[in-house]
Amino acid sequence: MTTASTVRVTDAEGSDRFEARIDGELAGFAEYMRTGRLVVYPHTEVEPAYEGRGIGSALARAALDDARRRGLPVLAICPFIAGWMSRHPEYQDLAYQNRSTATD
């Protein structure tokens, strides 16, 4: 059985996503939109054959660690990344805070 410790996550900058690979095979990815002021994570996907093996968590951790290194706040539109952040308090400081005071 494959475990999260055998997952290799890399930033595929040309594709604007982090990719998780096991033995060279794509196991999942986390897409991003990055500017100089913010990074948005709109979608994360894990291949069905790899579900339940920590691939999503490895992607989330790599993506959020990258945002921290870059000093960028995170807008997690992706329900998986948003949920992962809410369960890991050490990453909640990265959450983008809308500073707008306007209300509808």
Side-chain angles (χ1 to χ4, degrees):
M1 180 170 142
T2 302
T3 63
S5 64
T6 62
V7 176
R8 182 166 184 248
V9 179
T10 58
D11 184 355
E13 291 185 62
S15 298
D16 294 331
R17 67 186 197 175
F18 286 90
E19 295 180 344
R21 293 184 180 273
I22 297 175
D23 298 326
E25 294 292 321
L26 183 65
F29 60 87
E31 296 174 339
Y32 62 78
M33 293 177 279
R34 189 186 297 143
T35 71
R37 298 180 351 154
L38 174 75
V39 63
V40 178
Y41 295 107
H43 180 69
T44 302
E45 190 171 318
V46 174
E47 293 296 324
Y50 295 103
E51 288 179 358
R53 298 184 186 184
I55 304 302
S57 290
L59 285 163
R61 189 174 307 278
L64 296 170
D65 285 347
D66 180 74
R68 187 179 305 285
R69 275 190 302 277
R70 294 173 186 273
L72 295 173
V74 170
L75 178 56
I77 297 170
C78 170
F80 180 82
I81 299 284
W84 198 92
M85 286 178 74
S86 71
R87 291 186 306 277
H88 293 85
E90 67 273 25
Y91 289 96
Q92 291 175 7
D93 65 302
L94 292 173
Y96 173 76
Q97 301 295 319
N98 185 350
R99 305 232 185 330
S100 173
T101 57
T103 59
D104 291 329

